[in-house]
Every structure is written in structure tokens, then in C-alpha cells.
Amino acid sequence: MNQDNNPGLIPFTIDLTFEEARRRAEVVAALGPDWDPVAALRGEDEAYALLYSDLDAEQQRTYDMLVAAGVLPGEGPGHAAAH
């Protein structure tokens, strides 16, 4: 059966670009005028440094192994894991 000749099927497409832009605008509006993205990133970097500070030797070896495997992000800008 040729589906192109079926009058019951109507193509349906939707462009979510506008809705995604609206959603992002609402998120930024909800954050409020006092939200400082630079301060937020600085706080995340400080929390990351604190989380992995004062490790004992075994913990440091495990941390280094996980960083080398790309499971945990290493130190440096962005702290993004490889995987």
C-alpha cells in the first residue's frame, strides 16, 4: 500500500526553537537581577577544590586514576570530564 495516497495521514512538524528561547528567557528571569554567573562559577570552582582537598594517599591515587580515565575532570578551566 502506498502511504502517500492515504488521505488519513497528515504530516506534522513542529519547530521548538521559539519554545526553547522562551524557556531560556524564563529561566534567566527566574534567576533574578542579582544573579552573578561569574560568582556562581567561582563558587563552583571553590567547592570543587574543597571537595578534592586533603585526600590521603590512597584517595589521591584513586582520584588520579579516575582523572586519567576521564571519569572525573582534572584541574583547570571548566573541570569538564573527558567522557
Side-chain angles (χ1 to χ4, degrees):
M1 177 178 204
N2 188 349
Q3 292 181 355
D4 293 335
N5 294 331
N6 189 340
L9 298 178
I10 299 172
F12 178 77
T13 59
I14 186 168
D15 182 6
L16 296 176
T17 306
F18 175 77
E19 288 302 318
E20 179 62 14
R22 187 193 60 76
R23 183 193 66 79
R24 288 181 183 197
E26 290 295 329
V27 167
V28 171
L31 289 171
D34 297 329
W35 181 65
D36 183 358
V38 174
L41 290 174
R42 189 178 310 116
E44 287 182 17
D45 286 342
E46 291 169 0
Y48 181 86
L50 184 60
L51 179 64
Y52 294 110
S53 65
D54 297 326
L55 300 177
D56 64 28
E58 181 180 349
Q59 291 169 330
Q60 187 64 49
R61 278 191 305 277
T62 302
Y63 172 79
D64 292 340
M65 178 187 63
L66 293 171
V67 168
V71 174
L72 286 177
E75 294 182 19
H79 302 295
H83 301 290

